[in-house]
Each structure stands twice: as C-alpha cells, then as structure tokens.
Amino acid sequence: MFTEKGESVFQKGLECIQLSNPNLREVMSYFEQAAEQGHLEALFQVGYWNMYGEPQIMRNAKGAFECFEICSERGISRAKQQLAFFYLWGMGIEKNEEKAVKLLEEAFSEGIYETASTLCHCFWQGVGVKRDISKARYYNGVAREMRLPGAEYDFIKLCSMTTDEWNKRYSSIGDKDGQEE
C-alpha cells in the first residue's frame, strides 16, 4: 500500500527540478527513492520520466508501463491517460484499443480533459469503439474549448459534412473490426 512517507524526498526532487540547470538524474533519483517509500505521485513521476525521458535519462517503456499501471489502479487519473497510450499503440504490450478508450473515458470523466482530442479521433475513426460522429463532435468541442492543438482543424473536418453524409461515407468502411455494418 502506498503512503505519503516519501513526501520529504519527493519535495527535494521538486526543488531540484526547479533549478535553472537541474540535474535530471538527481531529480529522478529523488523520485525513485520517494516511490520506494510508497509515495504515489513520485511513482507517477518515475513513470513519466521513464516514458518521455530527457537527454540525461534513458527511456524505459516497460518501467513506465509498470508505474502507470500501479498508479492507475490506485486512482491517479493522469496515469490512466498515460496507460491508455500504451494500449492504444501497443507499446511493448499487446494492443488493446477498447481498453485504451475505456481508460481515456475514465480519465476524462475524472477531469483529465486533455484526453478529448484522442477520444475525438477514436470515435471519429472507430478506434476501439464504434464510429460515433456525435461523440466525436462532443469531444472535439471540449478540445476546442481547451484550445488543444489541432482541435480547430478537426472541427472544420468534422463539420464539413452532415451527420447523414458522414454515416454514409463511413458505413462503407465498416465497424471497428473492419466488418461491414
């Protein structure tokens, strides 16, 4: 069970990262120590740094997945978003688009609205879900309100055809499994 025992070590890592020229390996070391002591936010940070890396930190997708999985199970919404990308793209694990969309929707419902762009594309293209123009437009609306990159362009594309035209065009492609509808 994770506790806040590692809070002081975690705070040292946060202080270190705010320096004008931070030593990212030192920051990562503080986060790892705090995570080992049971600090959940520190574990998320370890996952994040493992996922995205920096010049001083080697990427470790497997380590990132493990951190995000634990954090997701413990209720960290941002971890659900990150974990969803592993399932969406099959990064080091078996691709599972349905699970990815479920995690993205959970994260969205918990306030991680940055997932709106990805959810828009999933419902637009039928990735992990049945195509649904109404949901695609809804998530695009949220993305535009947040001024997420590409949301305005997606809006133009989504609105360039009526719902009937959209359904006719995409019904010939089939559902998410490539089967004819």
Side-chain angles (χ1 to χ4, degrees):
M1 185 69 144
F2 286 88
T3 66
E4 297 303 313
K5 275 179 32 179
E7 182 66 24
S8 63
V9 179
F10 177 69
Q11 290 300 323
K12 286 180 186 177
L14 291 178
E15 290 169 13
C16 192
I17 203 168
Q18 294 175 10
L19 298 173
S20 61
N21 190 15
N23 179 333
L24 299 179
R25 288 187 190 130
E26 184 178 359
V27 171
M28 183 69 155
S29 175
Y30 282 125
F31 290 159
E32 287 172 336
Q33 289 173 45
E36 287 170 8
Q37 293 176 27
H39 196 283
L40 195 56
E41 177 62 25
L43 183 63
F44 175 82
Q45 292 298 325
V46 170
Y48 187 86
W49 288 92
N50 275 325
M51 175 75 172
Y52 296 102
E54 286 290 329
Q56 298 176 18
I57 299 172
M58 184 177 293
R59 291 185 181 178
N60 177 354
K62 183 179 182 221
F65 177 83
E66 292 169 356
C67 291
F68 293 146
E69 189 171 46
I70 292 168
C71 290
S72 175
E73 291 168 359
R74 300 282 197 267
I76 301 282
S77 302
R78 290 176 295 144
K80 292 178 183 180
Q81 176 191 25
Q82 297 299 321
L83 193 59
F85 295 136
F86 280 87
Y87 287 109
L88 192 60
W89 300 320
M91 296 184 332
I93 61 167
E94 186 175 334
K95 191 174 188 175
N96 186 335
E97 294 171 342
E98 291 83 8
K99 187 169 188 168
V101 172
K102 181 178 181 264
L103 286 165
L104 288 167
E105 287 180 314
E106 285 177 21
F108 181 86
S109 72
E110 295 169 7
I112 308 300
Y113 301 119
E114 296 85 5
T115 61
S117 287
T118 306
L119 285 166
C120 169
H121 284 272
C122 288
F123 282 100
W124 186 358
Q125 302 297 324
V127 175
V129 291
K130 186 175 174 105
R131 287 184 185 86
D132 186 329
I133 188 67
S134 297
K135 285 187 178 181
R137 286 181 176 156
Y138 167 74
Y139 286 119
N140 175 257
V142 174
R144 283 184 296 114
E145 285 179 22
M146 294 191 61
R147 297 185 176 163
L148 296 177
E152 288 298 326
Y153 177 77
D154 290 343
F155 176 70
I156 293 166
K157 298 288 277 182
L158 281 166
C159 292
S160 67
M161 61 182 93
T162 67
T163 301
D164 288 339
E165 291 171 326
W166 190 88
N167 287 334
K168 183 178 178 181
R169 179 177 187 180
Y170 286 103
S171 68
S172 64
I173 296 172
D175 66 17
K176 64 180 175 155
D177 299 320
Q179 304 294 318
E180 290 297 316
E181 295 182 322

